[in-house]
Amino acid sequence: MAASREYRHTEPRWLRATLTLIAVGFVGLLIVLPVIAVFTEALRKGLSFYVQSITDPLALSALRLTLLTALATLAANLVFAVAASWLIAKFSFPGKSLLLTLIDLPFAVSPVIAGLIFILLFGARGWFGAPLARQGIQIVFATPGIILATIFVTFPFIARELIPLMQQQGTEEEEAAILLGAGAWQTFRRVTLPNIRWALVYGIVLANARAMGEFGAVSVVSGHIRGRTNTLPLHVEILYNEYNFAAAFAVASLLALLAVVTLVAKAALEWRIRVEQRPAEAAQEA
Amino acid sequence: MAIDARHVSKSFAHYDALKDVSLRVEQGELVALLGPSGSGKTTLLRIIAGLDAPDDNPETAVFVDGEDISRKPVSERRVGFVFQHYALFRHMTVFENIAFGLRVRPRKLRPADSVIRSRVNELLELIQLGRWAAHYPSQLSGGQRQRVALARALAIEPSILLLDEPFGALDARVRQDLRRWLRNLHAKIHITSVLVTHDQEEALEVADRIVIMNQGRIEQIGTPDDVFHHPASEFVVTFLGNVNLFHGRVESGRTVIGEVAVGQRHESSVSDGKSARVFVRPHELEIERQQLNGTSVPSRVVRIQSAGPVVRVELTSDRGEAITVELTHDRYRDLSLRTGEEVFVKVRDARVFVADEIVGDYTI
């Protein structure tokens, strides 16, 4: 239907040219140029300095912490998002819209405030800080705090992908499965999960991008202890503040590369989802 | 296996979907639940399946084959269920869809792979889709999908088969074919079946018995002949096909429309002066050129539609009522009607209701 529709120009030439120029100008100035700048600055002192910067023990420890944080965050968000989406999409219960609003809360709250919340809760003078400290558990200014803050910030990403899809798919397939004798777990594993798998991976990719790049919330709870509580974005900031620009950009380029990998994965997934949905739509029209 | 649902009620926040409904379906019967949307037919079906819970009431029970299944988990009820929108598993092939019910059985009860395969192939044969086994639901037409859904439901050898508007999403032609196919299938396997539909033609054609529902209650239960020819309420008359309504009154024990008396004296004593509602189907009216001793209504022909198996003539009576008459083509030719002509409409059969109470069912 859409494929056969011919594209027709209805706007005058000057308007089209202006709009195109604005769009290209913005993308070039705000996205392409900075990316180029990152890589040129990173390589300003030569390739060997670049390699040295990113293999520096402090940089490597920051990379390790970033990957660990991303992994832990995704695992936690995955479990939460699937459970919450399943609940919201397939059942109706009192407080459902409140839950939906709460899931969106991290989108609305500044990451810095998110960080401060955890200081308030788990800091030395926080609600749970002292009792936990007596047990020898440190949350804030340690890895657990960084992971908690990142979970908070990336909370909505996966759930927001799943909820609309699951709502659209409805509950009939699950009902059919149960009527055919499947138990709850079998129904989830054989029917619900396969139906959402690509949206799930898509949500994970988005959440991962955010988790690896998160600065504000993590900056507040990390304490910036080099080699222990520095993530890649924090490490970049420290290097930059020490006027070590080439090294800062070298490490930043590492983050940029991680982002590129994420984007490629996202594009591949979008293509995959489109391919899967196409025959279904075509058959529905028939 | 017989189904016996007793005293089933279901209320939602803003309305009562079912009001103390009891229904018995005999072993091997195919019963249609017929009614407009919101009449509670689907709710009743879902309660029998266990997908919805009836309101709490100690008298409420759903027996299948003499066993109360109200407290049994849905997955253990062995109910075959067919959804209006198929509800096929979109990520599984046709073969895997049909095999699903066998594959999810606990290991001890699960048939061997070879048994599953031959069972699925048998069902594919039954629905005539053997060549489509490896296709996905999205690659099938609506009619094919619904046949797969039916095969999937039958794969678990259900004790009863419940069909929720199974042909509702299909176009007219496919619907006709599938109806006949379902009728034949039922004649072959004789499984106790309940079919929900809002299409009276479908119910009349397919079902052994029809349950007509309205606003959460059962209006009438009977064979297609019963409900069509001997409707128990005004709702049943108007719901089952087109019908003309004449407003009359009771005069000295008879129903009179204008100056025309309909049928004999009422058997029950109905007091004079009450208003009566007279229902006549289009094929139960006759058009005459002459008025014979005051038994027909003077009318004018407004429109003639002769393309079809019968000729539909629309008229307006001298009292301003719109009347539709169906004639055979032969009769139409004999009359050689023209629009605008003055003719006389004679009532052959009629059902007379006084205050929604049937008082006369006449053949005149």
Side-chain angles (χ1 to χ4, degrees), chain A residues 69-80:
Chain A
T69 304
L71 209 68
T73 302
L74 293 183
N77 274 342
L78 194 63
V79 172
F80 163 78

Side-chain angles (χ1 to χ4, degrees), chain B residues 5 8 10 17-18 21-23 33 40-50 52 62 162 194 196 211 213 218:
Chain B
V8 179
K10 174 77 180 174
L18 281 177
V21 166
S22 295
L23 172 67
L33 301 183
K41 54 195 193 304
T42 293
T43 308
L44 180 57
L45 195 78
R46 289 176 62 88
I47 287 174
I48 294 173
D52 282 334
V62 178
L162 306 176
V194 180
V196 159
V211 177
M213 298 191 65
I218 291 177

Side-chain angles (χ1 to χ4, degrees), chain B residues 26-80:
Chain B
E26 299 302 333
Q27 155 75 32
E29 232 186 347
L30 199 172
V31 164
L33 301 183
L34 176 65
S37 52
S39 59
K41 54 195 193 304
T42 293
T43 308
L44 180 57
L45 195 78
R46 289 176 62 88
I47 287 174
I48 294 173
L51 292 174
D52 282 334
D55 290 348
D56 255 341
N57 178 348
E59 285 180 292
T60 300
V62 178
F63 291 92
V64 171
D65 200 23
E67 183 195 0
D68 185 3
I69 59 164
S70 320
R71 306 253 168 264
K72 230 175 169 182
V74 179
S75 56
E76 289 168 25
R77 291 190 182 192
R78 294 253 263 194
V79 167

